[in-house]
């Protein structure tokens, strides 16, 4: 792989693991620690069993930081809320491939509304489910836990899917497509996911749960970059 084809390594703290009593301060902590964007999890108690945040929290984060906001819609009907989340300040909107709505149409609408469209797969969803929509997406998010809760253990069986997604991106002529991984990401699992072909690492517990988030982000960036350069991705 040529260097120009190598996607940038990005580390995204996930606000779900922040101190909910001080969300603006916690958003700024991610910015000051060198996060590349802030990940915000939206759960509707239907697509996933849990409830989390909504557009007002995205708007709060927009006021608090300049970082891009990566908004993960774990919702059965995201198509009803795209405008609201983008008006609130979302820069990246990630919807799930498992929803009933017309996913390609949602991705096109997100782009038209001025945000980056991303598509997410649950652990049990095969990479080939994206065949028809990959060209509409700027980012593919591979869940490495069952979505809905922070603090779960990374599922190593998702690594083969990350590799399949990187191969698919190359086959579509998009070798530098952002391939993200979310759930149970720490230094070791970030390295494993990077070796498989992921370049965006979303982490809650392992970044917000430590005293020195700056050191944790720097260490994760180093480990992921080292794993990329040792892997067959290059
Ligand atoms: C889980 C969310 C994740 C969550 C990850 O459903 O999508 O973004 O914050 O948390 P950790 O890093 O603790 O597994
Ligand atoms: Zn998420």
């Amino acid at each position: 792989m040529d260097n120009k084809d190598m996607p940038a390594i990005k580390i995204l703290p996930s606000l779900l693991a922040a101190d909910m009593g001080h969300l603006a301060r916690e958003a700024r902590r991610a910015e000051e620690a060198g996060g590349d964007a802030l990940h915000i999890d939206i759960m509707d108690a239907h697509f996933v069993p849990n409830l989390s945040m909504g557009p007002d929290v995205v708007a709060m984060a927009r006021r608090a930081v300049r970082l891009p906001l990566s908004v993960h819609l774990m919702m059965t009907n995201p198509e009803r809320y795209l405008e609201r989340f983008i008006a609130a300040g979302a820069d990246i909107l990630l919807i799930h491939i498992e929803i009933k709505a017309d996913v390609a149409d949602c991705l096109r609408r997100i782009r038209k509304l001025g945000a980056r469209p991303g598509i997410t797969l649950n652990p049990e969803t095969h990479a080939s489910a994206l065949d028809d929509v990959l060209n509409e997406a700027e980012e593919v998010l591979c869940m490495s836990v069952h979505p809905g809760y922070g603090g779960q253990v990374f599922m190593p069986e998702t690594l083969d899917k990350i590799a399949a997604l990187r191969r698919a991106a190359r086959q579509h002529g998009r070798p530098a497509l952002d391939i993200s991984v979310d759930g149970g990401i720490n230094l070791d699992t970030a390295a494993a996911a990077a070796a498989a072909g992921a370049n965006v690492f979303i982490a809650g517990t392992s970044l917000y749960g430590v005293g020195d988030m700056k050191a944790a982000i720097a260490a994760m960036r180093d480990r992921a970059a080292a794993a990329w350069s040792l892997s067959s991705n290059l």
Side-chain angles (χ1 to χ4, degrees), residues 29 33 205-216:
R29 192 174 148 215
T205 309
S206 73
L207 296 182
Y208 270 108
V210 296
D212 188 347
M213 191 195 286
K214 189 172 192 168

Side-chain angles (χ1 to χ4, degrees), residues 6 191 194-195 223-234:
M6 184 179 164
R223 281 289 297 276
W228 251 92
S229 56
L230 288 174
S231 75
S232 56
N233 291 318
L234 287 174

Side-chain angles (χ1 to χ4, degrees), residues 74-154:
M74 284 164 270
M75 302 175 72
T76 302
N77 295 109
E79 71 279 8
R80 299 179 192 161
Y81 295 88
L82 304 179
E83 285 82 0
R84 279 191 68 189
F85 280 106
I86 291 170
D91 298 284
I92 303 161
L93 266 196
L94 295 147
I95 60 170
H96 271 261
I97 189 74
E98 297 86 4
I99 59 171
K100 296 273 183 293
D102 183 339
V103 168
D105 182 61
C106 286
L107 295 171
R108 282 192 289 268
R109 276 179 54 210
I110 292 168
R111 191 189 299 273
K112 219 169 163 188
L113 290 163
R116 264 168 73 87
I119 187 73
T120 309
L121 304 90
N122 280 337
E124 59 280 355
T125 303
H126 198 266
S128 63
L130 297 192
D131 285 351
D132 292 340
V133 299
L134 199 64
N135 284 332
E136 305 290 350
E138 296 292 328
E139 177 171 344
V140 173
L141 169 55
C142 185
M143 289 307 300
S144 42
V145 298
H146 293 291
Y149 297 93
Q152 302 183 73
V153 176
F154 181 87

Side-chain angles (χ1 to χ4, degrees), residues 1 8 10 21 35 48 53 57 67 87 94 109 114 136-137 147 162 167 181 183 193 196-198 200 224-225 229:
M1 184 183 232
K10 297 176 201 166
V48 291
M53 313 172 216
V57 173
L67 283 181
L94 295 147
R109 276 179 54 210
E136 305 290 350
I162 293 171
R167 282 195 300 274
V181 63
V200 180
S229 56

